[in-house]
Amino acid sequence: NPKYLEEMKRKTLIESTASSLRMSGINVTDKEVEQIVKQSINEKKFHKNINQILSSKQLAVLEYLTKTKEATPGQIADKTKIARPTVNQALDKLIRLKKVERIGMGRGTRYKIL
């Protein structure tokens, strides 16, 4: 039965993921892992679950950049109502995560989504 096999694969994935996380020292319940797996299956991005890596302000910067072709830190700060130093920190993290690319240097620096 294909449905039974799919359910068994899902349960095995949840159990093995939870076990691996616990062995790494991360305190996680099977229910939490199940939610992550369910979400990741829908998005096909289990290993890059960006919503759990970024803060709300970092997510706001990322979302703004997805809506625009490119923007300066000042434009991002104005549109998102996030302080400029916080925008700069968010951009640095997004660059390290390879979600955003820096274009140019100095006053003319712009950022765009990868």
Side-chain angles (χ1 to χ4, degrees):
N1 184 354
K3 285 185 179 183
Y4 175 77
L5 288 175
E6 282 301 313
E7 181 61 20
M8 292 306 295
K9 283 178 13 181
R10 188 184 71 78
K11 284 183 178 182
T12 303
L13 175 63
I14 290 167
E15 290 170 2
S16 66
T17 302
S19 177
S20 295
L21 289 171
R22 287 187 198 110
M23 288 177 68
S24 299
I26 299 170
N27 189 14
V28 64
T29 65
D30 284 348
K31 190 163 204 91
E32 291 169 329
V33 173
E34 184 174 4
Q35 290 172 347
I36 293 168
V37 168
K38 189 177 196 177
Q39 182 179 3
S40 67
I41 289 171
N42 292 339
E43 296 177 1
K44 305 278 186 202
K45 295 181 180 179
F46 179 67
H47 58 85
K48 294 184 179 184
N49 193 353
I50 202 74
N51 294 337
Q52 294 185 350
I53 297 171
L54 300 178
S55 70
S56 60
K57 291 180 181 181
Q58 292 166 340
L59 277 171
V61 169
L62 182 63
E63 287 174 16
Y64 176 74
L65 284 172
T66 58
K67 296 175 186 174
T68 62
K69 186 174 180 182
E70 58 185 48
T72 66
Q75 291 169 331
I76 297 168
D78 289 343
K79 298 293 183 177
T80 60
K81 305 292 187 230
I82 297 172
R84 177 75 179 268
T86 306
V87 167
N88 289 336
Q89 289 173 347
L91 289 168
D92 287 341
K93 183 160 189 174
L94 292 169
I95 288 170
R96 286 193 311 270
L97 291 171
K98 300 196 185 319
K99 295 293 180 188
V100 170
E101 178 182 27
R102 177 182 292 130
I103 303 168
M105 295 294 288
R107 293 177 59 88
T109 303
R110 300 170 321 283
Y111 296 85
K112 71 174 189 173
I113 261 324
L114 284 176

